[in-house]
Amino acid sequence: MTHLGGGMGKMVSSGSRIEVRHLRALVTLVEQGSFTRASNALFVSQPALSRTVAQLERLIDARLVDRSGQQVTVTEAGARLLPYAHRVLTTIREAEHAVRGQRIVLRVGFTWTAAGVYTAEIVREFEETCPGAQVELVRTMTPLAGLDEGDTHVAFLRSEPPDDRVASAFLLSEPRVAALPADHPLSNRRTVSLRDLAAEPLVIGIVGTTEVDLWGHATDGRMITTARNIDEWLEAIAAKRGVGVTPLSTTTFHGHPHVRFRELTDAPPVFLKIVWLNTTHHPLRDAFVKIAIAVTQRARTLPAADE
C-alpha cells in the first residue's frame, strides 16, 4: 500500500492516476479540520501533506478544500468526492483483512434503534450461520446510515431511502408514540392524538421518522427544535423545548426520567427496512439481509409503550 511521504514536489504528469495516499490525505484533512492536525495524524510533514492534497486537486481538476479560514473546510467538489474516497479506503482495509485470514466484518448502520428488540437475535443468528463473520453496529446520523460514506455495508432505516441507488427490503411496521415533558398536561392521559399536538412546539431529529408534514398544513409557522441525535432529542423534550413523535421501539431503548411516552391514536405507522447500495457489494450482505427478514417475519408484536 502506498503511504504518505516525501519526494512529492515534482509536477504530476498527464499519465498519473489518483493513488490511495491522495484519498487518505483528503479524508484525514477533512476529518481533522487543519493541515497541522492531519499531518500529525498521518505522521508526515505539513508541507508534504499540502503537496499531496494539491496533487489530488490537479488530478481532479477541482478545488477540494477551502484553505482561506482558520479551519480547513471541504468544497462542494470535495464533498462529492469524499464518499468515494471513504469507500476506496474501506475496501482496501477489508481486502487486507481477508488476505490475512482475519474475521470478515459486516458493518451495519442505523440512525435510531437499529432493528429494535430484534437486533440481537439477527446478529446472533447471522454470526452462527456464517462462522468467521463479525457484525459491527454503527450508529450514524446521516440519511443513509453511513452507506453513502462507505462506513457501513447495510443499514436499518425507518425513513424512505432518498436515493435511487438504494435497494431495500421491508422488515416490519411499528406504531408511533408521542414523547412529552414529564409535567406536560397531556402526560396524564393514556393516549393522545396528532390533533392534540398540532399547536405544540416540535422537537425533531436531523435524521428521523417525523416531519411537520405529518400534521398536513395545520402547523404552518410552528416552532421547531432540531436535534443531532437521540440524546439531544430527549434532552430537548425534557427541557420543554417541545414534544416529539417517535417509533415505539424508542421507549424500550431510550428512556428519560423527565420524558413520558404516550400512545398516538391517529398517526401512521413507521416502516422499518433493511437497505443497501446497488453500487457496492459485500460477500456476506445478502446472508445478513435474508436472516433479518426471517427473524422479523417470525416476530409477533413489538413491546407496548410504558404507561
Side-chain angles (χ1 to χ4, degrees):
M1 185 183 298
T2 305
H3 295 282
L4 283 168
M8 295 179 290
K10 61 183 180 181
M11 293 298 291
V12 178
S13 70
S14 59
S16 297
R17 295 291 183 267
I18 296 173
E19 300 176 17
V20 173
R21 63 190 176 90
H22 295 127
L23 300 179
R24 183 175 290 112
L26 175 65
V27 168
T28 306
L29 179 58
V30 172
E31 289 176 346
Q32 297 294 327
S34 80
F35 278 93
T36 300
R37 290 193 294 270
S39 62
N40 289 336
L42 291 168
F43 302 102
V44 298
S45 69
Q46 187 171 329
L49 175 61
S50 181
R51 288 195 297 269
T52 301
V53 174
Q55 283 181 346
L56 178 58
E57 289 178 319
R58 289 196 294 272
L59 289 166
I60 294 291
D61 193 23
R63 191 163 62 96
L64 302 175
V65 294
D66 184 354
R67 303 163 173 82
S68 60
Q70 290 185 339
Q71 286 282 108
V72 175
T73 57
V74 67
T75 65
E76 184 178 345
R80 289 197 295 268
L81 177 60
L82 270 177
Y84 298 97
H86 276 287
R87 285 201 289 271
V88 169
L89 297 176
T90 298
T91 300
I92 290 172
R93 184 171 62 249
E94 290 169 352
E96 290 175 335
H97 291 170
V99 169
R100 293 168 184 162
Q102 297 174 337
R103 281 181 173 270
I104 301 176
V105 176
L106 181 74
R107 292 189 303 280
V108 179
F110 65 100
T111 60
W112 212 247
T113 58
V117 296
Y118 308 110
T119 305
E121 184 179 352
I122 292 170
V123 170
R124 284 197 303 268
E125 187 167 324
F126 170 75
E127 291 182 345
E128 290 170 358
T129 304
C130 303
Q134 179 178 339
V135 171
E136 181 180 321
L137 293 170
V138 181
R139 186 168 81 175
T140 171
M141 298 305 288
T142 60
L144 293 179
L147 291 175
D148 217 16
E149 294 76 18
D151 294 332
T152 58
H153 302 111
V154 66
F156 295 113
L157 284 185
R158 287 177 174 78
S159 55
E160 192 62 31
D163 198 313
D164 58 10
R165 297 172 301 153
V166 177
S168 65
F170 171 80
L171 296 182
L172 55 84
S173 65
E174 60 178 306
R176 284 182 164 102
V177 297
L180 311 169
D183 59 354
H184 192 284
L186 294 175
S187 67
N188 293 323
R189 293 168 49 174
R190 188 178 66 84
T191 65
V192 296
S193 67
L194 290 176
R195 179 173 296 184
D196 293 330
L197 305 177
E200 298 279 348
L202 186 64
V203 181
I204 62 173
I206 57 171
V207 178
T209 60
T210 300
E211 300 289 346
V212 292
D213 57 9
L214 188 64
W215 285 265
H217 298 291
T219 57
D220 292 343
R222 78 187 299 176
M223 185 179 299
I224 298 174
T225 298
T226 302
R228 290 171 295 183
N229 54 58
I230 194 167
D231 299 308
E232 289 186 2
W233 181 81
L234 283 168
E235 293 298 341
I237 294 171
K240 303 181 182 179
R241 300 288 188 269
V243 301
V245 174
T246 187
L248 179 60
S249 55
T250 303
T251 67
T252 300
F253 297 96
H254 300 284
H256 192 289
H258 301 296
V259 175
R260 300 290 180 267
F261 295 104
R262 294 294 177 260
E263 179 184 346
L264 267 174
T265 58
D266 57 350
V270 175
F271 299 112
L272 173 65
K273 296 180 179 180
I274 188 164
V275 303
W276 61 95
L277 291 181
N278 284 319
T279 54
T280 63
H281 180 69
H282 187 283
L284 297 177
R285 182 189 66 197
D286 292 347
F288 186 85
V289 170
K290 182 178 179 180
I291 288 170
I293 294 172
V295 168
T296 51
Q297 281 181 341
R298 294 197 300 262
R300 296 184 178 179
T301 59
L302 287 171
D306 291 336
E307 293 293 332

